[in-house]
Structure formats: structure tokens, C-alpha cells
Amino acid sequence: MKKLLLSMLSAALITSTLAVSAEDQKAKLVTVDLAKNEQVNPTTWLPGNVISRTNSPISAEQTGQLLWIEDVGKKVKKGQEIATIDNRHLKLQLAQRHALLKQHEADVEYLTKQKKRMSKLNKMNNTALSELERIIKDLAIAQNEVLALASQIAQTQLAIDKTHITAPFSGSISQRFVNVGELISIGRPLVQLVDTYHLDIKIAAPMNIAPYLKQDAKVMVKWQEKLIELPVRTWSQAGSQISRTFDVHLSADGLNLLAGSAVTVSLPKDATKLATLVPRDALVLREKEIYILTVDENNQAKKVNVLVGQGIGQWVSISGDVNAGDEVIIRGGERLQAGQQIRRNKDLVAKVELN
């Protein structure tokens, strides 16, 4: 009896496999899920730009001939040297001041000894008080000269250090303003340094959406054919009277984006309302459109253009010809054409109990 059941099951599976193989030639195997309704914030899509949080021209703090400068596109770390100015005149000045310092230190040592001797003689009334006072005055002058020269030496050393221009923050050199061999003056810009590690997406948003923004709230960002969620980092507390907009900044740290890239951002524009949600995997992103594929009553794929709103975990709110309960394709729809026949991906499980 068991052998007969196994034979019948095998024959049924073979027949089913042949039927499915024939069907594969006509229908596309896909995975579907159901759209649903949920309370979300209505959103508006606005253009944004990727900017560096720190973008600064690095200027010279000393005068001299430019000996070396880092090339455009070079990534540098904070404190790394990016340009060098000739400092030979400063080194000569430093050597001269060191020599003067030694001379005045010798004067201080001599006058200190003289003061001790004159103090002993004065106590025995063997010298005039005026002579002791003159030595004390000369000693004070010599000590002040030592202090002044020590300060001048420190200033000269600082000037030498500033001939080695270093990066005040980590980033990339986007532009050079000078070339090797030029005479550089104080305050002249040398390079443009852009922080490529800490990026923002800047959006000029209408002022009426300000009440609906929340710190660190995740919003949708479309870049090329990618859809990502980024947190709201900060926004301006004052708007422009001309454009009636204010700046909103999203944190884009760690993303492979170039400063200056254009994106579009979905920001909340109203209070919470009921919206239709579909799985994020249902979205098909193209350069000029976003759409999903639904399944009609004839098991055919139907293309529906949508506007994407707020993301909630693995789901995202949309606006379009989609209702709660509609089947949407979440797998296998990348190359599926509208009107093409589909079949749902279901596991066929045969369970036979043998006694």
C-alpha cells in the first residue's frame, strides 16, 4: 500500500512539474505582498544639494616664496602639511636672536655676581650705596632683555611653523589658487579644502512646513536611482523674506556622495493623515520616474506611477492609483513589463502520512 502511495505521489509531482514548466514559458514568477493603510505625515518633494559641512579657503600666514603645494584631489588628514613657504630669512632671524639671548644671559649672570659682592662690601661700608643701586638697575634691565628675547624667539619659531601650512581638518583639496615659485603674501588663499567626511544635504524649504519638522526624524532622499532614509540634523530658525524659505540640513555622513550633487528630498508638510503604504522593495526607481507593479484580476502586471512619501521601517507611503489590499510585486519585477502574465511564488508542499 505504501509503495502504491509513493508511486502515485511521484507521478503527481512529475505531472505538476511538467505543467509548471509549460506555464513558465508564458508567466513570470514573482513574489507579491499587499498594500495597507496607516497614519503618516503627508510629504512634499523638494530639490536639495549635497554640501560639505566645512568648506574653507586655506590662506598663508607668512610672506615668502612658495616652495611646494599639494595637488588638487589629494585627500589629507587634519594636521597634514599641504603647502610650504620659504623660511630661510626666519631661520637666520632665529639664530640671531638666540645669539643675543646668550649675550644677555651672560650679562645677567655677571651682574648677579656683582650684586652679591657689592652687597657684602656695602654692609662693611666699603663701597658707595649708589654703586650697588646702579648694578641692581643694570641687572633688572638685563633680566627684562632676556625675557623679551625669549618672547621674540617664540614668535619667530611660530612664524617658521606657519610657513608649513597644515590642514585644519580632514578633507580633500578641491582647488589651488597659487603655483610653486610665486611670492606669497599674508592672507593670500592657497587652496580650497573641502571636508568630504562630514556632508549635509541642504534644502530650501517653504516656511509653512517648519512646524512639522522633528530633530533626527528620518526622511526619504532620492539620488539617481537610489532611495535612502536620512535624519534631519538641523534647520535654520530664520527664513528669507524674499523667497519665504528656510534651510533644512540632513546628515549625509558616510555616504558615497560628492559635494555639489543634486538630490530630491521628501519633507513633512502637514499633520498626520491616513495614507497607503507598500513594501519598500516594491518601488522601481528610474531617473525620471518612480513606479510600482500591481497585479490585476487577470494575473497581469500593471504599472502604476507613484509619489513616495514618508518611510516607516520596511514600508513607505505612496500616492497613486493603489488601494489597501492591492497586490504589489516585491520580487521579480525588475524586468517585468506592464501587461505581462505573472504567477505567484508559492511553495508546493505535499505531506503524506504513512501508517
Side-chain angles (χ1 to χ4, degrees):
M1 184 64 181
K2 291 182 179 180
K3 290 183 178 180
L4 178 59
L5 287 173
L6 289 173
S7 298
M8 292 173 65
L9 178 59
S10 299
L13 289 174
I14 292 172
T15 302
S16 176
T17 302
L18 291 174
V20 171
S21 298
E23 187 181 355
D24 280 343
Q25 298 177 0
K26 299 179 181 180
K28 192 76 173 179
L29 182 65
V30 297
T31 302
V32 300
D33 205 338
L34 299 179
K36 64 179 182 179
N37 286 338
E38 196 167 310
Q39 294 287 336
V40 296
N41 288 106
T43 59
T44 180
W45 283 89
L46 299 169
N49 292 297
V50 180
I51 64 170
S52 172
R53 214 168 289 169
T54 311
N55 186 347
S56 305
I58 309 303
S59 301
E61 296 185 63
Q62 291 297 320
T63 299
Q65 186 183 39
L66 184 66
L67 300 180
W68 172 82
I69 188 168
E70 193 61 86
D71 202 1
V72 172
K74 183 71 174 181
K75 291 184 177 181
V76 296
K77 297 291 186 181
K78 181 179 180 180
Q80 182 176 332
E81 188 170 356
I82 55 178
T84 304
I85 294 175
D86 187 10
N87 58 17
R88 289 175 295 176
H89 63 293
L90 292 172
K91 288 183 176 179
L92 291 173
Q93 186 182 88
L94 183 64
Q96 182 183 16
R97 286 177 174 173
H98 272 299
L100 286 173
L101 179 63
K102 290 181 179 179
Q103 177 182 332
H104 286 288
E105 286 176 340
D107 290 342
V108 169
E109 184 179 358
Y110 169 74
L111 290 170
T112 301
K113 292 178 180 179
Q114 282 292 92
K115 178 184 175 182
K116 289 180 179 180
R117 286 194 291 266
M118 287 299 176
S119 295
K120 291 180 180 179
L121 292 174
N122 182 258
K123 288 179 181 179
M124 295 182 294
N125 294 320
N126 290 331
T127 184
L129 179 61
S130 59
E131 183 66 19
L132 176 61
E133 291 176 343
R134 183 187 65 80
I135 292 174
I136 293 174
K137 182 197 73 171
D138 291 344
L139 176 59
I141 293 173
Q143 289 172 333
N144 287 333
E145 287 289 347
V146 168
L147 293 175
L149 278 169
S151 176
Q152 291 173 10
I153 287 172
Q155 289 177 345
T156 304
Q157 185 60 59
L158 179 61
I160 291 173
D161 294 340
K162 288 183 176 180
T163 60
H164 300 277
I165 296 90
T166 58
F169 53 86
S170 298
S172 177
I173 295 174
S174 63
Q175 190 176 358
R176 280 195 340 189
F177 304 113
V178 294
N179 294 304
V180 172
E182 290 188 48
L183 181 62
I184 306 300
S185 57
I186 295 176
R188 183 174 178 183
L190 303 178
V191 298
Q192 189 77 20
L193 184 62
V194 179
D195 185 352
T196 55
Y197 302 96
H198 301 93
L199 300 176
D200 274 358
I201 293 177
K202 180 181 176 182
I203 309 105
M207 299 175 71
N208 59 356
I209 76 167
Y212 309 107
L213 290 177
K214 294 181 179 179
Q215 190 82 28
D216 297 325
K218 297 292 185 69
V219 298
M220 304 300 297
V221 177
K222 183 177 182 289
W223 176 61
Q224 295 181 350
E225 294 187 4
K226 299 177 181 178
L227 198 64
I228 54 179
E229 272 188 329
L230 294 177
V232 176
R233 188 176 69 84
T234 187
W235 58 88
S236 173
Q237 299 300 315
S240 168
Q241 294 182 351
I242 298 175
S243 63
R244 302 298 179 186
T245 61
F246 69 109
D247 290 339
V248 179
H249 289 252
L250 311 183
S251 177
D253 293 352
L255 296 181
N256 188 23
L257 295 172
L258 290 177
S261 299
V263 299
T264 51
V265 180
S266 174
L267 293 178
K269 66 176 182 178
D270 207 343
T272 301
K273 293 181 180 179
L274 190 66
T276 303
L277 275 68
V278 298
R280 195 184 300 268
D281 292 338
L283 298 176
V284 181
L285 276 67
R286 295 293 181 260
E287 190 65 32
K288 297 183 179 180
E289 63 176 351
I290 302 177
Y291 64 89
I292 65 172
L293 291 167
T294 62
V295 180
D296 63 15
E297 64 276 4
N298 298 319
N299 288 333
Q300 292 180 343
K302 178 183 176 182
K303 179 181 175 181
V304 180
N305 287 307
V306 296
L307 294 176
V308 180
Q310 185 178 359
I312 304 175
Q314 297 302 313
W315 294 76
V316 63
S317 65
I318 59 167
S319 299
D321 187 17
V322 183
N323 298 311
D326 288 351
E327 287 186 313
V328 294
I329 297 173
I330 61 173
R331 294 284 188 277
E334 293 79 8
R335 297 183 180 180
L336 195 62
Q337 300 296 321
Q340 190 171 352
Q341 202 74 24
I342 65 99
R343 62 186 178 88
R344 296 164 183 80
N345 184 13
K346 295 181 179 179
D347 294 329
L348 178 63
V349 179
K351 183 177 180 182
V352 178
E353 294 184 359
L354 300 178
N355 298 324

